[in-house]
């Protein structure tokens, strides 16, 4: 399974980083789902190209793991994290937001995105609720 993902995850991350906005070394990128295959690939490729990353994860126990993978800023995906990330970025520009979660998590990305920044959604994890129905 992981071998098969090599054919899709790194190319997806590389295309997102090159096709939607003109990023320059030192620019910031924010992403949710940073622990996904695409998210990890994005971190590695961004680092090679001189971009800095803000990485949002849904579980606190993933923070150190994503930092070790090269994430510049790694925070729990929570609206309260916006102020911490904005302070770390300072006067830098968050030029690209990469969304793989969807729903209300998208709002957190938008709040971190600089003026004229671009939001790219490549996936959306939705929670469905099933109802059981009985037929007589």
């Amino acid at each position: 399974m992981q071998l098969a993902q090599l054919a899709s995850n790194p190319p997806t991350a590389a295309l997102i980083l090159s096709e939607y906005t003109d990023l320059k070394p030192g620019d910031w990128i924010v992403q949710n789902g940073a622990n996904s295959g695409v998210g990890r690939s994005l971190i590695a490729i961004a680092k090679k190209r001189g971009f800095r990353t803000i990485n949002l994860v849904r579980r606190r126990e993933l923070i150190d793991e994503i930092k070790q993978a090269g994430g510049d800023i790694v925070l729990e995906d929570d609206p309260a994290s916006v102020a911490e990330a904005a302070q770390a970025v300072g006067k830098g520009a968050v030029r690209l937001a990469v969304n793989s979660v969807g729903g209300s998590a998208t709002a957190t990305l938008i709040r971190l995105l600089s003026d004229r920044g671009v939001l790219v959604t490549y996936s959306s994890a939705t929670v469905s609720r099933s109802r059981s129905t009985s037929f007589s």
Side-chain angles (χ1 to χ4, degrees), residues 40-125:
R40 291 170 188 270
S41 295
L42 188 139
I43 291 167
I45 295 167
K47 193 165 244 13
K48 291 258 186 216
R49 294 183 183 178
F51 312 144
R52 297 179 287 180
T53 59
I54 304 164
N55 303 278
L56 304 174
V57 294
R58 296 174 105 179
R59 296 187 325 265
R60 183 168 291 287
E61 62 268 17
L62 292 168
I63 291 174
D64 287 338
E65 183 179 327
I66 300 304
K67 282 181 181 177
Q68 289 177 359
D72 294 297
I73 299 171
V74 186
L75 302 166
E76 194 167 2
D77 192 349
D78 183 295
S81 298
V82 172
E84 186 177 347
Q87 182 179 9
V89 169
K91 294 183 184 206
V94 180
R95 308 263 329 273
L96 178 65
V98 181
N99 181 26
S100 67
V101 177
S104 61
T106 308
T108 304
L109 294 176
I110 291 169
R111 290 179 61 204
L112 285 165
L113 199 55
S114 297
D115 288 343
R116 300 180 189 247
V118 174
L119 170 69
V120 174
T121 298
Y122 72 91
S123 177
S124 180

Side-chain angles (χ1 to χ4, degrees), residues 27-50:
D27 284 343
W28 286 92
I29 300 155
V30 61
Q31 69 169 331
N32 57 24
N35 59 302
S36 70
V38 172
R40 291 170 188 270
S41 295
L42 188 139
I43 291 167
I45 295 167
K47 193 165 244 13
K48 291 258 186 216
R49 294 183 183 178

